[in-house]
Amino acid sequence: QAKHKGKSAYAHFAPEMTEVSHERLQMESRMRRALELNEFELYFQPIVHTDSGRLASVEALLRWNNPAMGMVMPDRFIPLAEETGLIIPIGEWVLEEACRAAYSWREATGLDIGVAVNVSPRQFRDPGFTGTVMHALKNSGLPHNQLELEITERLILDNSIETAEILRQLDSAGIQLSVDDFGTGYSALSYLKSYPFDTLKIDKSFVQDVMKESDDASLVRAIINMAHSLGLKVIAEGVEEEAQTHFLKQEGCDLSQGYFYSRPLPADEFESWLRTNQRVVQA
Ligand code: C2E
Ligand code: MG
Ligand code: MG
Ligand code: MG
């Protein structure tokens, strides 16, 4: 009787909270089994040269196909994977899989198709991280300079000696490094000159309004010029319309990525995209 009372009193005070934590726990336990059950899948989105539209590289984007939840997008599960530490084995799987895929396209097409992999802060700070990266490269046979690691400003801004040291190790191993979602953090910018980055990815929130908001156009122009004067390449993310491609070409933005060129695709569809795209290029 007392037990029953206690339970309903709890339910009365915080029904949403218990629901949320139940959902979280359920997701966590599903996530713990997801690797063994082969529920993760990589999608691939082309990154093209802005001036020619030719393929430069491809970004690997994680998807989780769960029988009960359907296809779960990364924004919904990466934060929980980070909190629980599950991002470490999951991230390892992503690296292995992405390198293997890039190597197989290289074999099939003879083209140097680099692959970009997103790295979250918890994963980056794990002591085994560089070992995991080197293992994925060695295991796949992918040349080191065909792997690009995307790191967000949030991670870089911790300003730690460890972060600097890991970036230096990766850079000296020939791995490409990029700053993802550039412009969304409260960045001090000074890190750009002290860390060995190769590429800046301008966040899609700026790119999307480049034709509507003159402030966004000015920011994108300024970022491109700044990056170039620091010797960095620039990728515009979230390119959806042709008009944006004209603007980006005119401003000398090196590389572009977005639905205008292609949505992220499962491996087999990306391979067909690749064949079609190459025919276009060769014609
Ligand atoms: P991100 O690295 O900035 O990836 C770009 C996101 O923008 C992707 O969302 C992509 O599908 C989306 N996108 C691409 N082109 C367009 C466009 O033209 N318009 C719009 N509106 N969106 C576009 P997605 O796949 O949902 O991934 C979201 C975020 O999740 C990624 O942002 C990345 O931070 C994270 N993520 C994805 N895969 C992984 C992974 O394997 N590991 C880690 N740690 N994070 C990942
Ligand atoms: Mg990214
Ligand atoms: Mg470098
Ligand atoms: Mg981004």
Side-chain angles (χ1 to χ4, degrees):
Q1 184 69 1
K3 200 177 168 192
H4 174 80
K5 232 185 195 166
K7 215 176 182 180
S8 59
Y10 186 51
H12 176 78
F13 282 123
E16 297 107 24
M17 212 170 111
T18 54
E19 237 169 71
V20 167
S21 57
H22 174 72
E23 202 180 299
R24 236 185 84 101
L25 279 175
Q26 193 176 47
M27 197 178 210
E28 183 179 335
S29 74
R30 283 171 178 158
M31 206 188 288
R32 287 193 185 281
R33 285 185 312 245
L35 272 176
E36 303 167 44
L37 296 176
N38 236 329
E39 292 176 359
F40 290 112
E41 183 180 4
L42 288 184
Y43 273 46
F44 298 95
Q45 186 176 36
I47 297 172
V48 305
H49 294 280
T50 307
D51 54 9
S52 62
R54 288 175 62 163
L55 183 72
S57 61
V58 61
E59 179 171 7
L61 294 159
L62 188 58
R63 303 290 182 258
W64 177 15
N65 300 303
N66 178 272
M69 297 185 291
M71 185 188 285
V72 192
M73 299 300 276
D75 288 335
R76 240 184 99 199
F77 69 88
I78 297 280
L80 185 60
E82 274 251 309
E83 275 172 53
T84 55
L86 286 168
I87 193 65
I88 290 160
I90 295 171
E92 184 173 347
W93 179 86
V94 171
L95 276 161
E96 294 278 343
E97 189 73 11
C99 290
R100 211 167 24 235
Y103 183 82
S104 74
W105 301 325
R106 185 186 157 84
E107 290 291 278
T109 64
L111 299 170
D112 285 339
I113 302 168
V115 68
V117 172
N118 293 283
V119 177
S120 71
R122 174 99 180 240
Q123 199 187 347
F124 185 88
R125 293 196 186 101
D126 182 70
F129 181 66
T130 47
T132 302
V133 172
M134 298 317 287
H135 184 269
L137 285 168
K138 193 163 170 222
N139 223 14
S140 62
L142 190 72
H144 293 192
N145 65 358
Q146 305 289 305
L147 175 65
E148 177 141 15
L149 299 177
E150 298 195 359
I151 292 153
T152 56
E153 286 184 316
R154 188 159 56 99
L155 189 153
I156 303 151
L157 293 176
D158 72 358
N159 254 322
S160 76
I161 294 175
E162 290 79 15
T163 299
E165 176 54 23
I166 295 164
L167 290 172
R168 199 196 55 74
Q169 281 176 22
L170 295 166
D171 176 60
S172 55
I175 294 157
Q176 301 293 108
L177 299 169
S178 59
V179 181
D180 205 349
D181 304 334
F182 184 79
T184 58
Y186 297 91
S187 56
L189 294 183
S190 56
Y191 72 83
L192 288 177
K193 71 179 168 73
S194 38
Y195 291 153
F197 285 105
D198 303 286
T199 308
L200 282 194
K201 300 193 74 170
I202 307 178
D203 190 68
K204 54 177 176 279
S205 58
F206 300 105
V207 176
Q208 256 149 16
D209 289 332
V210 108
M211 305 312 295
K212 285 170 238 148
E213 303 283 339
S214 66
D215 287 351
D216 284 327
S218 306
L219 279 171
V220 168
R221 185 179 295 125
I223 293 170
I224 294 170
N225 291 335
M226 177 197 63
H228 284 166
S229 61
L230 291 169
L232 298 165
K233 276 176 297 185
V234 186
I235 303 180
E237 291 193 288
V239 178
E240 294 183 354
E241 294 156 20
E242 189 161 15
Q244 294 164 335
T245 70
H246 297 315
F247 174 83
L248 293 165
K249 247 179 242 179
Q250 185 188 307
E251 298 304 330
C253 183
D254 309 271
L255 300 160
S256 297
Q257 176 180 5
Y259 298 165
F260 176 74
Y261 300 99
S262 169
R263 292 195 168 251
L265 303 168
D268 55 340
E269 286 177 41
F270 173 70
E271 282 155 28
S272 332
W273 185 93
L274 199 58
R275 281 191 293 271
T276 315
N277 185 267
Q278 260 185 279
R279 265 205 299 278
V280 171
V281 168
Q282 281 161 358

